[in-house]
Amino acid sequence: GAVVSQHPSWVICKSGTSVKIECRSLDFQATTMFWYRQFPKQSLMLMATSNEGSKATYEQGVEKDKFLINHASLTLSTLTVTSAHPEDSSFYICSAPSDYGYTFGSGTRLTVV
Amino acid sequence: LAKTTQPISMDSYEGQEVNITCSHNNIATNDYITWYQQFPSQGPRFIIQGYKTKVTNEVASLFIPADRKSSTLSLPRVSLSDTAVYYCLVGDHNAGNMLTFGGGTRLMVKP
């Protein structure tokens, strides 16, 4: 099957700093990667879609300058939370479509203090 | 995009069969129906996928009526470890379309 490896699994950072989250497709090529955010007791909300070789598309209300997405290759997509603030604390999850359906990363718990 | 509607929560007891129904009235011709399980602080995990009729694997069954406007996930003989949130998702992974998550169903299995 298809596997998406997401790192780090958790991170604590100081307010104002930037954090990078990586998602790698291990055994397939992910031309598209979806980035979700999930707050406690809520469902996953799509933030943006990254496509290898082109600019990411962001959902309404998501600041593209704050959540920088780079899809550097067919196996790597990164989400950088810039100038993080406590309200950015959340669970971030990536997902990629493959021949087997949609595969999700294990998620990254971001805590901004 | 096909929107899904599921019960917010369900309670069950160990050893019982649990059926969770999802409605997706505007499902598209190329859309598949996929169910995911999510534990706290983990990414969603694939349970089962189907297009029509019935699909069964080692952990669940998926029943899809002919009109495909709904689907039912059946978990046989649940255990405490099946306590989780279950999401019904509809989409065309072959086209790389994004998935829109509904609220999911929070299943609580009691001893």
Side-chain angles (χ1 to χ4, degrees), chain A residues 32 34 36 38 41-46 49 59 91 93 95 97-107 109, chain B residues 34 36 38 40-46 49 87 89 91-94 96-104 106:
Chain A
T32 300
F34 303 111
Y36 294 86
Q38 185 176 33
K41 299 292 180 69
Q42 294 186 23
S43 184
L44 284 74
M45 294 195 62
L46 182 68
T49 302
E59 296 300 301
F91 192 57
I93 308 170
S95 174
S98 70
D99 292 340
Y100 303 95
Y102 295 87
T103 302
F104 290 83
S106 54
R109 171 73 60 193
Chain B
T34 313
Y36 292 85
Q38 187 183 29
S41 295
Q42 294 186 27
R45 187 179 70 140
F46 174 91
Q49 181 182 80
Y87 292 99
L89 292 160
D92 183 0
H93 59 275
N94 292 314
N97 294 335
M98 67 179 186
L99 289 177
T100 300
F101 278 77
R106 191 172 298 273

Side-chain angles (χ1 to χ4, degrees), chain B residues 14-85:
Chain B
E14 280 190 293
Q16 288 188 333
E17 178 185 79
V18 172
N19 295 308
I20 306 174
T21 297
C22 176
S23 65
H24 28 80
N25 291 318
N26 58 340
I27 186 171
T29 302
N30 294 330
D31 286 344
Y32 284 75
I33 301 159
T34 313
W35 285 79
Y36 292 85
Q37 176 192 56
Q38 187 183 29
F39 296 112
S41 295
Q42 294 186 27
R45 187 179 70 140
F46 174 91
I47 301 175
I48 197 166
Q49 181 182 80
Y51 184 80
K52 61 180 179 181
T53 62
K54 176 184 175 181
V55 180
T56 297
N57 62 21
E58 61 275 11
V59 298
S61 293
L62 179 60
F63 300 91
I64 305 169
D67 65 6
R68 302 201 327 124
K69 293 183 182 299
S70 67
S71 59
T72 299
L73 173 71
S74 181
L75 303 173
R77 299 178 298 281
V78 294
S79 62
L80 296 177
S81 61
D82 292 318
T83 294
V85 179

Side-chain angles (χ1 to χ4, degrees), chain A residues 16-50:
Chain A
T17 62
S18 296
V19 173
K20 179 185 285 187
I21 301 171
E22 290 189 350
C23 279
R24 294 180 183 272
S25 57
L26 298 185
D27 46 7
F28 70 103
Q29 293 183 331
T31 56
T32 300
M33 189 73 74
F34 303 111
W35 288 92
Y36 294 86
R37 179 167 53 182
Q38 185 176 33
F39 292 106
K41 299 292 180 69
Q42 294 186 23
S43 184
L44 284 74
M45 294 195 62
L46 182 68
M47 298 175 64
T49 302
S50 73

